[in-house]
Amino acid sequence: MLAVLMAATIVAAAEPPPGLALDWTAPPGCPDRAEVYARVVRRTGQEAADRASLTARGTVREAAPGRWSLTLELTGATGGGRRELSAPRCEELVEAAALVVAIAVDPRAALAAGEVVVPAPPPEVAQGAGTNGQGSEDMSPRAGPNGQVVKDMYEGPKAQPRATDEMEAPVVEEPARAEAPAPTAKPPSVRVGLRAAAGVSFARLLPRPSAAVSMALSVSGKRWRAELGGLYAPPVTGGDGVIGGLFQAGAVELRGCPVLRRGAVEVPLCVGLQVGAMQGRGRGTGLATTTTARSPWLAATVGAAVGWRPRGRVGLWLGADAIVALLRPSFVTAGGVKVHEAARFGGQVLAGVEVLLR
């Protein structure tokens, strides 16, 4: 009877365990046994896990706030070993444990996905004794190919420098590249502006100085400026109460200017040409009838302006021009009495606001 029991014990000891046996203990919030087992199978395949002769026992605990430790014991048909690892996150220890177990099951299949760095133990952790009575770093020289691969994984690849004991993360990630800053938009080389101004114009050209309004569209570069605008002077009286009239003028003006710039200030120096008409309507007690007459207007202008645009698109404008009449309108009554004739020289002063359209 005793011989039968001894034979049965020997036979039972000779039989390998039924596939990979995984005993896993971890606090809530860490991956459980099923997740660890699934990660091993993903690396080795289910067939390799089913025919393995390996028992793995892992225990995860929180060693300190923000620090986790793992005790992993491997026992196989040809030997085993024990290892204590540390990492700042439980997830990192789970990945390291799954890798070590997968290498012990099938080294070639487990490493086919590429090299993964396993977290090193903290320097204060003493090396414990393995199940075969040897140090945990030994993993038993007689442990066969699987045990030796696990030992090599702990020590790091021989062709590479050893991982330092202070390594925090199990996977070395390439730092994200900072995106190149977007290029700063350059101001347009050609700007378009619209100016509205008012002031006094046609001085000495009409019978008396007249208020005036103008609008101008400008196109400008860094050192030049071109304008196309319109100018209107409302009616003013001329003559006397016996023989007189109301006189007004309007013109289209084309100007070209070299520009001096300094910071937010620009100084255009302009020459231009005015083309339009001057109109007079008779009035007074000495006139038997009153009629309206128009005379063409043609004049050249020379002047300067100051523009100030401290910020944004809106700026202030002040300009003064000398006017040289190339045609001098003259108004007379039916009896030949001259009521008004434009002078040869005159001037205008306008102030306003200019807005950049682009």
Side-chain angles (χ1 to χ4, degrees):
M1 184 64 178
L2 179 59
V4 173
L5 291 176
M6 292 178 62
T9 302
I10 294 174
V11 171
E15 293 180 355
L20 170 63
L22 176 62
D23 183 10
W24 183 260
T25 303
C30 289
D32 57 11
R33 176 196 175 280
E35 173 62 22
V36 178
Y37 186 87
R39 295 190 187 191
V40 175
V41 171
R42 279 200 297 270
R43 292 179 176 274
T44 64
Q46 187 64 54
E47 182 179 354
D50 291 340
R51 66 169 182 265
S53 298
L54 182 68
T55 299
R57 296 181 179 86
T59 302
V60 177
R61 62 184 180 276
E62 187 175 10
R67 196 74 188 178
W68 299 79
S69 64
L70 165 67
T71 302
L72 181 63
E73 298 180 357
L74 299 179
T75 304
T78 57
R82 180 174 180 270
R83 185 69 169 177
E84 292 192 10
L85 306 176
S86 177
R89 294 190 300 120
C90 177
E91 173 68 24
E92 298 173 0
L93 293 176
V94 170
E95 185 64 24
L99 174 63
V100 173
V101 174
I103 292 174
V105 172
D106 188 345
R108 289 172 298 178
L111 294 176
E115 179 184 351
V116 178
V117 181
V118 178
E124 68 273 9
V125 176
Q127 302 296 331
T131 56
N132 58 354
Q134 298 184 3
S136 63
E137 197 65 61
D138 184 9
M139 299 301 291
S140 179
R142 299 183 300 276
N146 291 353
Q148 184 61 37
V149 171
V150 174
K151 177 178 181 293
D152 291 344
M153 196 63 196
Y154 287 155
E155 295 179 347
K158 290 182 174 58
Q160 302 290 336
R162 290 191 59 179
T164 64
D165 288 343
E166 298 300 326
M167 185 177 296
E168 293 290 337
V171 179
V172 178
E173 298 182 356
E174 180 181 357
R177 296 180 180 178
E179 296 183 0
T184 304
K186 296 182 178 180
S189 57
V190 176
R191 297 180 296 181
V192 178
L194 181 64
R195 184 179 73 249
V200 178
S201 185
F202 291 97
R204 299 188 69 239
L205 304 175
L206 291 172
R208 63 186 63 185
S210 169
V213 293
S214 72
M215 295 283 291
L217 183 67
S218 66
V219 179
S220 61
K222 185 175 182 181
R223 299 297 181 187
W224 60 272
R225 181 184 184 94
E227 295 182 357
L228 177 63
L231 180 69
Y232 172 68
V236 295
T237 60
D240 53 36
V242 178
I243 299 177
L246 290 175
F247 300 91
Q248 59 185 333
V252 174
E253 187 172 18
L254 179 64
R255 295 155 58 98
C257 320
V259 177
L260 305 177
R261 292 184 183 275
R262 187 176 182 86
V265 178
E266 64 176 80
V267 180
L269 306 174
C270 302
V271 295
L273 185 67
Q274 292 180 349
V275 179
M278 186 176 292
Q279 175 181 293
R281 179 178 177 82
R283 61 182 296 181
T285 58
L287 297 176
T289 60
T290 59
T291 60
T292 299
R294 293 181 180 87
S295 180
W297 169 257
L298 180 64
T301 62
V302 179
V306 177
W308 180 56
R309 186 179 296 105
R311 64 180 62 185
R313 293 178 174 269
V314 180
L316 301 179
W317 180 273
L318 175 64
D321 297 282
I323 303 175
V324 180
L326 303 179
L327 294 178
R328 299 177 61 188
S330 180
F331 298 88
V332 297
T333 65
V337 178
K338 183 183 293 186
V339 180
H340 172 65
E341 182 180 21
R344 175 66 68 183
F345 301 100
Q348 63 186 20
V349 177
L350 301 172
V353 176
E354 184 176 53
V355 179
L356 284 182
L357 303 180
R358 67 177 294 273

